[in-house]
Amino acid sequence: MDLSAIEKDIERVIISEEKLQTRLKEIARQIEADYEGQDLLLIGVLKGAVMVMADLSRHINRHVEIDWMAVSSYGSGTNSSGVVRILKDLDRDITGRNVLIVEDIVDTGLTLDWLRTNLESRGAKSVEIMTVLRKPDSAIVRVDVRYVGFDIPKDFVIGYGLDFNEKYRNLPFIAVLAKHMYE
Ligand code: IMP
Ligand code: MG
C-alpha cells in the first residue's frame, strides 16, 4: 500500500503486513491441532474482525463455518462501559458447537467478557477467543484469551480492521495514530 496518502496521520507502523500474516499462519496451525476431529464455528465481531477473519480462515486447512455478530458498547466516545447491545445477531443456533470468537482487539476486555458469557448461555459446547491484538495495560476485566496475535502498549492503533472515525480499516498493517489526530 502507498503510505503517502496517510503518512501524516500515523506516528509509526508497529506491525507490518508480513509480521501479521506470519503470526496468523502460526495461530492457524495451533487451531488445526487444538480442534482436530471436532467441529469449529468461527464467530467474527463486526466490523473490526473482517480482515482477520478473511485471512485467518484462509490459513486454516480444514472445514470451518463462519458467522457474524455486531455489538455496540453503550459508552461515551472511546470509553467502553461493559453494557453491550446486539446490533446483529448470529444467523444460526450454536447449541453444542465449538465456538471460536475472532476479534481485532482486546482493550478493557469488557466487550469480550460480555460476549463470551452471552454465547456460553446459549449452550455452546466451548467458547474460546482469538484476537489479533491485546492491550494488557488497559484491562479492566481479565478475559481468558486462547490465541493472541500480539500484546501491544496502550496507544490508540489503526489499520487491519481497526478504525478511527470509521477510517483506516483498510490498511494492511497496524499503526499508532498520530496524537494530533485526536488531541
Ligand atoms: P474493549 O474495551 O476491550 O471492550 O474493546 C472495545 C472495542 O474498542 C474494540 O473491539 C475496538 O473496536 C475498540 N478499540 C479498543 N482499542 C482500540 C484501538 O486502539 N483502536 C481502535 N479501536 C479500538
Ligand atoms: Mg471490535
Side-chain angles (χ1 to χ4, degrees), residues 45-46 48-49 103-105:
V45 185
L46 294 169
E103 254 288 29
D104 50 358
I105 191 164

Side-chain angles (χ1 to χ4, degrees), residues 80 103-105 107-111 135 155-157 162-163:
S80 239
E103 254 288 29
D104 50 358
I105 191 164
D107 186 26
T108 63
L110 291 167
T111 307
K135 293 181 182 171
D155 307 311
F156 193 87
V157 291
L162 290 155
D163 73 303

Side-chain angles (χ1 to χ4, degrees), residues 83-151:
V83 183
V84 176
R85 186 164 53 112
I86 295 176
L87 303 176
K88 185 233 171 279
D89 208 343
L90 300 172
D91 289 342
R92 300 244 190 133
D93 179 41
I94 57 167
T95 309
R97 305 298 307 271
N98 292 309
V99 167
L100 179 60
I101 301 171
V102 176
E103 254 288 29
D104 50 358
I105 191 164
V106 185
D107 186 26
T108 63
L110 291 167
T111 307
L112 273 176
D113 187 49
W114 180 91
L115 190 57
R116 166 179 269 158
T117 306
N118 180 283
L119 297 181
E120 280 171 352
S121 75
R122 304 184 195 198
K125 184 175 167 197
S126 67
V127 180
E128 299 291 347
I129 296 167
M130 181 275 161
T131 184
V132 181
L133 303 173
R134 180 172 62 182
K135 293 181 182 171
D137 299 338
S138 302
I140 291 178
V141 285
R142 219 193 78 83
V143 184
D144 192 16
V145 180
R146 184 123 172 222
Y147 310 98
V148 179
F150 304 89
D151 278 324

Side-chain angles (χ1 to χ4, degrees), residues 4-45:
S4 60
I6 56 130
E7 211 161 17
K8 61 181 189 331
D9 303 353
I10 66 177
E11 196 172 298
R12 65 185 186 283
V13 175
I14 55 166
I15 305 167
S16 68
E17 183 172 5
E18 193 195 345
K19 245 179 104 180
L20 263 173
Q21 296 303 325
T22 301
R23 184 74 189 110
L24 291 183
K25 282 178 199 164
E26 289 170 3
I27 293 174
R29 298 293 82 77
Q30 287 175 8
I31 291 170
E32 287 166 5
D34 292 348
Y35 290 91
E36 200 182 340
Q38 301 177 65
D39 105 286
L40 178 56
L41 171 63
L42 305 177
I43 295 181
V45 185

